Amino acid sequence: PELVNVLRRVRDWTLHSEPLVCWEAQRLLKEIAGAVDGVMEHVLMEWVVSDDPSKMRIVAHILHGFNGGPGFYRVTRELLVRTDDEKVSGALMAAIGTTPGVISGPFSAFHRQRIQEVEPWLSDESFRVRAFAQRVIAIQRESMEQELAREALEERIWPKTP
């Protein structure tokens, strides 16, 4: 119960009128929780199911700091089901398009992974979720193709030596 109260308290700081306090609260949530799972997922879902547009926008922005993992995708999907707010979908699109830290190996693999993570949504019961998945996949495919071309060019210019 202590962790849930700490996360709620820090989450509530995101309602503060001072942008620096809001930003710091989002950073602290990431530091405390590490990922959207268990308690953190529950705390974020409290605001998602509130159907309060301002709280839903804040959750979408909080997710940008986590941007990966099953809990991230469950909260993202629930937001998409509950609102057609462009600020929410834009923040979620940005979160999915942002790398979760350092990428080792070809950057095209990141885009391929994002496509695989969102593909199940193409058959989701919610039209909003399906439409969002189509947009994400189109953007990620285009980015993956650009990266594959760049990687091929680099390989021609700087071939790996055995």
Side-chain angles (χ1 to χ4, degrees), residues 52-71:
D52 177 329
S54 63
K55 289 180 177 179
M56 295 170 91
R57 286 182 195 126
I58 290 170
V59 170
H61 287 285
I62 289 170
L63 287 173
H64 194 275
F66 291 92
N67 74 350

Side-chain angles (χ1 to χ4, degrees), residues 26-43:
Q26 292 177 23
R27 191 191 63 75
L28 273 173
L29 286 170
K30 174 69 174 170
E31 289 296 317
I32 295 167
V36 179
D37 55 9
V39 178
M40 185 64 191
E41 183 176 349
H42 175 76
V43 167

Side-chain angles (χ1 to χ4, degrees), residues 74-88:
R74 283 190 295 269
V75 175
T76 296
R77 183 193 171 280
E78 193 63 30
L79 279 167
L80 293 168
V81 167
R82 291 178 173 273
T83 185
D84 60 355
D85 185 314
E86 281 299 316
K87 290 181 180 179
V88 170

